[in-house]
Amino acid sequence: MVGRGITPLWRHRQREQFARAVDAHPDPVAADAEELADELAVVALLRKAAVTAGPDEEAKARMRARVLGAAEPPPTKLDQPVRERRTGARGRLAVALAAALCLLFSLAGMSLLLSRDALPGDALYGVKRTAESASLGLTFGEESKGNKRLEFAAARLAEIETLVDRYRDSGGGPLGGYLTALTDFDADAAAGSRVLAALGSNSDQRALEDLRDWATAQATRLTDLRPSLPAQAADRAGTSLDLLARIADRASALHARADCASVTSGQVDQVGPVPAQDECAAPPVDPGTSASAAPPTAAPTTTVTPTTAGDAPGVTSTPGGVVPNVPTPSAPPAPTTTTPSGPLLPLPTLTLPSLPLPGLGG
C-alpha cells in the first residue's frame, strides 16, 4: 500500500479505506479495489484457507462442548495429585537405598574374602577375627563350640608359622604380630579346654582324650617354632607351652577319675574343672538296676549219696559246712496192663436179602 503522506490523519483514513474494501469484497469500490488489490488478494486467500483447512464439524462440536463445560478436560501433568509425586520420590529413595545396601554387602563380602589370609598386624586381621566370632555364634552344641575354639587356636599357630616363613630373612618380622597371635592362642585354647573338660568329666570321656591329644600336638608345634621366633616372642611362647601342659595334665587327671564316685571337686579354673583329691571310690549301685548287673556269687553245693535200706544216713563235707546225706526214694513201679486169656468166640454173620435193581428185568 502506497501512501501520500505519513501523518496520523492520513493513516486513519487509509485504515478506514482498507476496512471498507474488505467489507465490500467481493464487490469493493472500484477506486479502493485498484489501490488495495494486493491486500484484498491476501484477504481472499486467508478466507479460502480458513474454509478448507479449518476444523470439521465434529471437532467444532467438541470444542463448543468443552467451552460450554459439557465435557471435562483431559488430565494434564499439572493436575496430578501431590500424593503421586510423593510416591515417585519415595520410589527413587528406595532404589537408592537398595543400591547402597548392595554396594555395602559386596564390599563386606570382598573384605571377608580378602581377610582369609590376613596375618596379625595386617589391616584386615580385625575383619578375620570378627568373622570367626560370628561363626562361633552360629555354632550350636557345647562340644561343637569347644572344638571350634580349639580350631581357632590352631589357626593362630598356623599364622605364626606363616610369619616365620615370611620374615625368615629379615630378622623375624614385627614383634606385635607374634604377641597378638600368642595372646589369641591362649584365649581360644583355654576357652575350648574349659568346655571340653566339663563335657568329658560329666558324660563323654572321648572329649578328654581328644583334648589331651590336641594339647600334646600343639605343644610339639610351638616347641619347634620357638627357636625361630624373636627373643621376646620366644619368652612369651613359654607361657603358652605351660598352658598346653596344664591342659594335657588336666584332661589326663579327669580321665583317670572317670570311674570314681566323685570326678571333680566342684571348682573351675582357667583350663576347666579341678579333679577331686579324695580317694577314688566306686560309685554306689543304684537299687533300681537289675540283679543281672551285680557280680555273681558262688552258691553252696550239697552232695547227696544214695544209701541202702537199714543203713544210717551218711554225711558229706561241702564248702558251706557238713550236710547229712538224705536217702533217695525209690521210684514207684510202673503200672502194668493185663489182657484176659481164654478161647475166642466166633463173630455173628448177617445175611442180607437180594433186592431187584431198578431197570433190570427178572
Side-chain angles (χ1 to χ4, degrees), residues 64 306 344:
R64 187 180 300 108
L344 298 177

Side-chain angles (χ1 to χ4, degrees), residues 40-159:
L40 294 177
V42 172
V43 171
L45 291 177
L46 292 175
R47 287 178 175 176
K48 184 178 180 180
V51 175
T52 57
D56 55 3
E57 296 299 330
E58 184 178 358
K60 291 179 180 179
R62 289 197 305 269
M63 289 187 292
R64 187 180 300 108
R66 183 178 302 173
V67 171
L68 296 178
E72 296 181 358
T76 60
K77 293 183 179 180
L78 297 178
D79 297 333
Q80 292 180 354
V82 180
R83 183 174 58 185
E84 295 182 1
R85 293 196 296 270
R86 291 179 179 177
T87 303
R90 291 177 181 176
R92 291 190 296 271
L93 180 60
V95 172
L97 290 177
L101 288 177
C102 291
L103 179 61
L104 179 62
F105 289 154
S106 62
L107 292 177
M110 291 295 296
S111 299
L112 290 177
L113 183 62
L114 295 176
S115 66
R116 295 177 59 183
D117 298 330
L119 297 177
D122 295 344
L124 295 178
Y125 185 73
V127 178
K128 180 180 180 179
R129 294 290 291 161
T130 303
E132 290 179 351
S133 300
S135 65
L136 181 63
L138 297 175
T139 303
F140 302 97
E142 294 299 325
E143 183 177 5
S144 299
K145 290 184 178 180
N147 292 328
K148 181 69 72 172
R149 287 284 192 178
L150 298 185
E151 179 182 347
F152 293 159
R156 304 290 84 80
L157 288 187
E159 292 169 356

Side-chain angles (χ1 to χ4, degrees), residues 1-18 20 35-36 39:
M1 180 182 298
V2 181
R4 298 185 179 88
I6 306 176
T7 60
L9 181 59
W10 177 82
R11 288 181 179 178
H12 178 68
R13 291 178 179 177
Q14 192 178 31
R15 293 191 188 99
E16 291 182 353
Q17 183 182 1
F18 180 73
R20 288 193 302 268
E35 295 180 1
L36 304 174
E39 288 80 355

